Amino acid sequence: MFDPMEELRPPTRLMLTPGPSCISARVNRALAAPLVGHVDPWFTEFMGGVQELLRRVFQTKNHMTFPISASGSGGIETAVLNVLEPGDEAIVCVNGAFSERMAEIAERTGAKIHRVSAPAGRPVDPEDVRRAGQGRKIKFVGFAHGETSTGVLTSIAPLRKVADELGALLVADCVATLVGLPVEVDRQRIDVCFSGTQKAISAPPGMSPITINTRVEELLRNRKTNVQSWYFDLTTVMKYWGMERTYHHTPPIPLIYALHEALRIVLEEGLEASWERHRQNQVALIAGLEAMGLSLFVQNPADRLTTVTAVNIPSGIDGPKLRNRLLNDFDIEIAGGLGEFKTRFWRVGLMGYSSQRQNVLMFLGAFERILLDMGMKLPAGAGLAAAANSYANAEPVPVLHEK
């Protein structure tokens, strides 16, 4: 039994989950920097630097860009509650647990929400969104760019086109995609975009970067009712992150330090290099899994989320038991499915600092060892060989390193 008076000694894990991801030693050092007050002149100036780095990562010129003091779910709340008022209508593309969460939050505003769904493992068809919005005054079309509950990627451009036809805003949940693959807020004309620090950015959990454009800023100024949440009301919290630096709440200062350092690492590597690294590592992972005789939940390669891969659990294999063996024997953590998919597939995350070649090879070796122990018939060494061959045929990308 854990003694609460014992010194803190957490185990060292390789986190290959849908989040959080591992963080670098540089980010850990930033967490240990001296604490200052949230209205200290040094810190309020430092905040502006964090905002500028976020703009570069989001690839936007939006003034209203900053980290919300909350997890990715707080990003959903902020995005939805600030846009919707009672009586509005909106469309939410639902193809998993987190896009469903967006719909549930939206319904609490008193707006009429139209769910447009897709079968599990597939993105929502833009044509279905178009049909759902015809003849209606739709305020926004919301979707999860990367649905981590099933490992599905949704293309932005087709939904932007439909939103334009409907005269609607586009609200994108990019919690699992920002830095891991292209988001490009300004080029894709995303009106509201939010993410999470604990995914491909590889900072600690607890903050949700968000950016909104001038169209949404104007909408906020013209609201007829108050935002349903005081804490997530952008019209007030932005005064702290704006020129005024007016007190709103005490933000998690060490987490902002860590976010700043994580963003520096991202931009030192380069966004394009980061996207390619994530892509190559998932390609190698999939090659290894398929060589071992395993199949993927998302059948269409174009619909697969680069940062999270859903792997079908083979018949006769105890999914939770394998995960426990990985954790206890190899200190590697992966996730199971959520809800009805708990025993159908595993979810393997390759995000940010966790998305490294050596981690892919380490995981495949441990995974094969356990599957063999559990009685699965598979060619020994095939997974590692296929992954190694994938890397051998890939273009070189910069290797993550410490300073």
Side-chain angles (χ1 to χ4, degrees):
M1 183 176 178
F2 178 74
D3 181 353
M5 290 301 293
E6 283 188 2
E7 182 183 353
L8 180 67
R9 292 190 181 91
T12 300
R13 308 288 200 199
L14 172 56
M15 292 185 289
L16 302 182
T17 72
S21 59
C22 295
I23 62 176
S24 77
R26 287 174 57 178
V27 175
N28 266 320
R29 289 196 295 270
L31 282 167
L35 190 67
V36 298
H38 57 285
V39 292
D40 184 298
W42 177 88
F43 184 71
T44 56
E45 183 177 355
F46 173 76
M47 290 163 62
V50 175
Q51 290 177 277
E52 177 54 31
L53 296 184
L54 281 175
R55 291 186 187 101
R56 296 180 194 178
V57 166
F58 275 118
Q59 293 182 287
T60 184
K61 295 180 180 178
N62 290 342
H63 168 71
M64 196 173 283
T65 303
F66 67 99
I68 300 163
S69 301
S71 68
S73 294
I76 302 176
E77 291 251 2
T78 304
V80 170
L81 297 185
N82 279 270
V83 172
L84 291 180
E85 297 190 66
D88 287 338
E89 291 189 68
I91 293 173
V92 177
C93 302
V94 176
N95 64 336
F98 296 101
S99 45
E100 171 63 28
R101 184 172 297 179
M102 181 185 287
E104 290 180 5
I105 292 170
E107 286 175 337
R108 297 189 181 197
T109 65
K112 183 175 182 180
I113 305 304
H114 305 278
R115 283 177 167 82
V116 180
S117 301
R122 291 172 54 187
V124 170
D125 188 337
E127 288 300 319
D128 292 340
V129 178
R130 181 178 285 108
R131 282 190 288 270
Q134 284 178 350
R136 302 180 184 278
K137 190 176 181 181
I138 300 298
K139 198 165 192 181
F140 80 68
V141 173
F143 72 105
H145 187 210
E147 178 54 77
T148 55
S149 68
T150 54
V152 175
L153 175 68
T154 294
S155 295
I156 299 171
L159 291 177
R160 176 68 269 176
K161 183 178 179 182
V162 173
D164 284 341
E165 293 172 10
L166 299 175
L169 301 169
L170 189 65
V171 176
D173 175 344
C174 294
V175 169
T177 56
L178 186 66
V179 175
L181 61 159
V183 172
E184 302 172 297
V185 167
D186 284 359
R187 190 183 71 80
Q188 300 268 32
R189 295 189 297 111
I190 303 171
D191 297 287
V192 181
C193 185
F194 60 91
S195 188
T197 53
Q198 79 276 23
K199 307 278 187 170
I201 292 174
S202 276
M207 303 208 80
S208 179
I210 192 169
T211 186
I212 72 170
N213 62 19
T214 54
R215 182 182 177 189
V216 179
E217 286 190 56
E218 182 66 20
L219 181 150
L220 293 177
R221 284 192 286 268
N222 294 320
R223 280 185 64 104
K224 299 180 179 64
T225 61
N226 290 329
V227 175
Q228 292 90 339
S229 167
W230 181 90
Y231 187 73
F232 294 119
D233 184 347
L234 286 173
T235 63
T236 54
V237 71
M238 192 54 203
K239 290 180 181 178
Y240 177 60
W241 283 96
M243 294 296 294
E244 302 96 329
R245 295 290 192 250
T246 304
Y247 170 74
H248 178 268
H249 68 281
T250 304
I253 293 163
L255 295 187
I256 297 174
Y257 292 167
L259 172 60
H260 176 264
E261 187 62 17
L263 292 171
R264 288 199 330 119
I265 293 170
V266 166
L267 293 168
E268 285 170 8
E269 180 183 17
L271 287 173
E272 292 81 3
S274 178
W275 302 336
E276 179 61 13
R277 172 171 55 85
H278 282 82
R279 188 195 69 80
Q280 286 189 14
N281 287 330
Q282 192 202 35
V283 168
L285 172 68
I286 291 173
L289 293 169
E290 291 181 339
M292 293 161 64
L294 297 164
S295 63
L296 303 185
F297 181 69
V298 181
Q299 296 181 8
N300 184 357
D303 296 338
R304 291 172 185 163
L305 176 59
T306 308
T307 50
V308 179
T309 301
V311 186
N312 290 321
I313 299 174
S315 177
I317 298 296
D318 185 325
K321 183 177 179 180
L322 180 140
R323 289 175 52 221
N324 287 336
R325 283 281 308 276
L326 270 175
L327 191 66
N328 295 328
D329 296 354
F330 296 95
D331 285 317
I332 298 174
E333 183 182 4
I334 64 172
L338 298 176
E340 63 179 301
F341 300 111
K342 183 177 181 180
T343 58
R344 284 191 58 185
F345 53 73
W346 299 292
R347 293 179 297 150
V348 182
L350 291 174
M351 296 182 177
Y353 196 67
S354 292
S355 184
Q356 298 190 49
R357 179 177 301 192
Q358 62 266 33
N359 293 343
V360 173
L361 299 175
M362 188 186 308
F363 165 73
L364 288 171
F367 201 54
E368 178 189 284
R369 178 69 267 162
I370 297 170
L371 286 171
L372 287 168
D373 288 349
M374 296 178 79
M376 184 173 170
K377 305 297 182 184
L378 68 155
L384 282 170
N389 184 62
S390 175
Y391 285 126
N393 293 317
E395 291 292 326
V397 292
V399 178
L400 290 178
H401 63 278
E402 296 289 351
K403 286 185 178 180

